[in-house]
Every structure is written in structure tokens, then in C-alpha cells.
Amino acid sequence: MMRLPEEIALAEAIAAIAPSGIRIGCRMIRDGDEAHLLPGEAHSIPARQPGMRRASGAARWIAHGLLAELGVGNVAILRTPAGAPAWPDGIMGSLAHDDDMAVAAIAPIGDIASLGIDVEPARPLPDDILALVTTPADRTDAADRNLAGRILFAAKEAVYKAVYPLDRQVLGYEDITVDLNAGRATTKTGRKASLAYCVAPRVVVLAFVDGDGR
């Protein structure tokens, strides 16, 4: 299938930020992408809205390709009751999408204990959402001023996805402190995550916890 210009641009941007050992992919969500859900996946995803199923199909299409690169083929990535994807033994991963783009990241469990990813449009975050997301301890000076709020939002979403499998605790935005200047985040549970991000053509943030879990 022919790749679209925004897919190519984002693929290059996320390849540039991906640490060694982490594979990341992206795909513009297309009509009919729900057909990429394997039967078990389709059954495990309760959403009946066509848009949500298309996005889930697009994200899993990416993940299946990344898993195949590791020699893992034809494995259903089921949705757990908590809403997170269930990965094959020895693999960790994360899925995300906005209205138009899906992304996925995977890695073998080892030097990295867990990871999370989020994608957002490269537009300023609305002020009302920014007020909910930001805490006095957050540091965003190093980021593009117009996009700092959006990056912060995506970072906290990605960090939550990375740490939830380790602690099984629900965290609010106020429970995650992000320092974009240092590329680090800390949760109230004591987890420390590293951050990597790009801002064009979309904001994508990858969060990962080192293999010692801290």
C-alpha cells in the first residue's frame, strides 16, 4: 500500500527519537482499517463506533508488523479489561491514536521494563485542558512555546501507559511530574521514566522505564 506523505514524514521523525531496541511505527487511519483486527482482537474491543474500531485496527496493523520484525507472527493483541493491550510473552508495547493517525511501539523486555506512547495533533492545547494537566512542578521551558502544553499532555498520557503495567495504580495528571528540559518524568509511586518526543508533523511522545523498573 502506498504510504502517504504525512506517514513518511512522521515515520522519519519517530525513527530519529526511538532509543535502541524500541521499534515504532505509524499509519494514517483509513476507511476499512477495522478489517485489520484479528478475530480475537475484534471480539475483545467493546467499542462499536466505526471510528474507534478503525483506529484500533490501524494501531494493531502497525503492531503486527513490528512484531513480525521480531519473529512474532499472527498473535492477537487483545484488549484487557483495564483497556490496555495484552502483549506476547517477552514483549512490551503501547498503542495510541488521534483522530487521523495511529502509532505503536514495541520492545523486547530486558534493558527496558515498560514503555508508553501517545500521539496528538501539532496544535496548541486548549487552555481548559492545559489547566487540568499542568502542575507547578512541571518543566516545559525547553519545548516549543506554542506546543509545550500539547507535549506535556502527551507525555503524561505516555508515562501513565508505561507505568500502569508495573504498579497497577490509576494516576491523575497531578500524580505525574514532567521535566521536558531533562527528558524525564516521575510519578507519585516513585517510578522514573525517560521521555523522547517529536513535534512534526505530529506530536509523538515515547516514555520508557529502564529495566530495573526505576
Side-chain angles (χ1 to χ4, degrees), residues 4 26 54 56 87 96 157 164 180:
L4 301 173
C26 63
R54 280 196 297 270
S56 295
W87 298 94
E157 292 284 336
Y164 181 80
L180 293 179

Side-chain angles (χ1 to χ4, degrees), residues 157-180:
E157 292 284 336
V159 169
Y160 179 75
K161 292 179 182 180
V163 302
Y164 181 80
L166 302 175
D167 297 326
R168 301 291 177 183
Q169 287 196 31
V170 175
L171 300 176
Y173 296 117
E174 70 279 6
D175 299 323
I176 302 170
T177 300
V178 168
D179 185 343
L180 293 179

